[in-house]
Structures are given as C-alpha cells and as structure tokens.
Amino acid sequence: MAAPLAALLAGACLATGGLLESRGTGTTRCYRLEYEALWERVVEAVRYAGLVIERANVENGFVLAHSYRPDIEDPEEMALEADQGEVVGVFVEDEGPDVWAVEVVSRARFAFDPSPRDWTGPVFLALENRLPAEASAPHEDLAACSRVRRLTPV
C-alpha cells in the first residue's frame, strides 16, 4: 500500500521546472520600463512576496520560485489534507520599445492540495509598489498590449 501511495504522490508533485510549460496560462500585466530596471524589481518583488527563488534567468526572462519546502519530503509521511506549498513562475516578455508583459503563474505543489494559495496578487502588488508610477500608468501602448494578448487583469 505504501509503494503505490508514494508513486501517486510523486507523480502529483509539480516541480518548479514544470512551470516553464505553463508559460502563457497565467495572469499578465504590461509595464513601460527598461528591461534591466524591470528585471531587478521583478526579482525583488518575488522575494518580498515571501517566495524562495529556485531559478532565475535574466536572458530568457523567467523566475521560478516556491512558497516553501516542507520539512517532510517523504511522500509517505505527508498528510493528504496538509498544505504542501505552491510553485510560482514569473515570465517577462518583450511587447515593444520598453514595454514588457509580466506574467505570473501560481500552482499548487501537489495536484491534490485542498487549498493552494494564489500568489498572483501578492507578486503583482510587490512589483507595482517598486515601480515608478509612470511604468504602470494606463498608456495607450499598455492598454493595446493587454487587448492584443487577450490578457486577464488581476
């Protein structure tokens, strides 16, 4: 009985690496700012929101993070009803001259987590608190960015 349960739990786990395939499924907002300045603020925001960065790639514009790692890593010892944390991907894509789309994908670490936390709002709030006001103002270009990409505002 323990072996099948361990296999089930291991298969239900979403590692942060799996988030790369989730790109394009999250919530996106557009900002006007130089990439280097935006990137620094994205990394700060992820940490400030309370997430632990596992991998960041400035060249490819992604940050993979998790809410925490449980002390118990053995799937046989994890309670099925326990919160096992979440994994979060933040992706930055070029939308034009100094206009960037920032996407946040928040997923439960385990598929059967009964109450995963959605980190989308906290990450965007932390990011926008670090941006100059004009970076997220409703410029025509930013509004067009959202329309073209059919993005869902938070």
Side-chain angles (χ1 to χ4, degrees):
M1 171 90 176
L5 178 60
L8 171 70
L9 294 177
C13 178
L14 176 64
T16 55
L19 283 172
L20 290 175
E21 290 79 40
S22 297
R23 191 175 206 157
T25 64
T27 301
T28 307
R29 292 183 183 175
C30 294
Y31 302 99
R32 179 185 299 284
L33 197 65
E34 290 182 12
Y35 182 74
E36 293 76 18
L38 178 62
W39 180 259
E40 287 177 22
R41 288 169 173 94
V42 165
V43 171
E44 288 173 12
V46 169
R47 287 189 177 123
Y48 185 81
L51 297 165
V52 177
I53 295 176
E54 187 169 307
R55 217 168 121 202
N57 186 311
V58 66
E59 291 84 21
N60 293 315
F62 68 82
V63 176
L64 305 179
H66 56 269
S67 57
Y68 68 92
R69 289 187 188 269
D71 291 335
I72 302 171
E73 288 291 339
D74 182 359
E76 291 181 30
E77 296 181 29
M78 290 182 189
L80 291 179
E81 69 279 355
D83 176 13
Q84 301 300 329
E86 299 80 24
V87 291
V88 178
V90 181
F91 306 100
V92 182
E93 291 187 33
D94 186 7
E95 288 291 327
D98 290 334
V99 176
W100 302 93
V102 177
E103 176 187 11
V104 177
V105 177
S106 179
R107 301 279 188 262
R109 184 169 180 228
F110 287 89
F112 55 79
D113 189 339
S115 58
R117 180 173 181 191
D118 183 358
W119 289 90
T120 305
V123 170
F124 277 126
L125 180 62
L127 175 59
E128 291 175 358
N129 284 338
R130 285 161 175 67
L131 293 174
E134 62 274 8
S136 57
H139 299 293
E140 268 186 44
D141 291 347
L142 301 183
C145 174
S146 297
R147 274 197 310 277
V148 170
R149 294 174 54 87
R150 293 186 176 92
L151 304 177
T152 307
V154 178

